[in-house]
Amino acid sequence: MILSTTPTLEGKVIREYRGIVVGEAILGANVFKDLFAGIRDIIGGRSGAYEKELARAREIAFDELKERAAALGANAVVGIDLDYEVVGQNGSMLMVSVSGTAVVI
């Protein structure tokens, strides 16, 4: 599965558009509480634990996106947009959302 933030793929012809696909992952408040407990790994203003958890959420969202594109018979997703949003009461959860257009090249 080819993934791209651009609307086209250089050297490839998009033969069919199969539709918009989305992948999402939500990190709940418990994750953040657990991370605060292990916040000792902050060096230079960065938290390796937070970054690792965000990377995991992003991976889950991209995996969902690829599965949904494959279910539509696509072999690529173009125009990908990646968003991070705070959701839930008092912003207690973080949502990672990735969307794009499933295509056949």
Side-chain angles (χ1 to χ4, degrees):
M1 181 74 58
I2 297 172
L3 305 175
S4 177
T5 58
T6 61
T8 61
L9 298 169
E10 188 173 342
K12 307 281 185 188
V13 175
I14 295 175
R15 296 181 316 181
E16 289 182 54
Y17 289 85
R18 295 292 174 101
I20 296 171
V21 287
V22 177
E24 299 151 334
I26 296 177
L27 302 176
N30 291 347
V31 170
F32 292 112
K33 287 179 185 173
D34 293 344
L35 290 174
F36 275 125
I39 205 82
R40 293 184 199 125
D41 70 345
I42 292 181
I43 298 172
R46 293 179 65 171
S47 169
Y50 272 112
E51 290 174 358
K52 187 175 181 180
E53 201 61 29
L54 285 173
R56 188 172 71 85
R58 193 171 46 248
E59 184 177 321
I60 290 167
F62 270 104
D63 286 346
E64 270 189 21
L65 179 89
K66 290 187 273 189
E67 286 174 19
R68 290 177 177 159
L72 294 175
N75 60 359
V77 180
V78 295
I80 291 176
D81 182 46
L82 179 64
D83 290 312
Y84 297 89
E85 296 291 332
V86 177
V87 296
Q89 287 184 330
N90 302 319
S92 61
M93 297 183 281
L94 178 71
M95 180 178 71
V96 178
S97 175
V98 60
S99 61
T101 303
V103 298
V104 175
I105 55 172

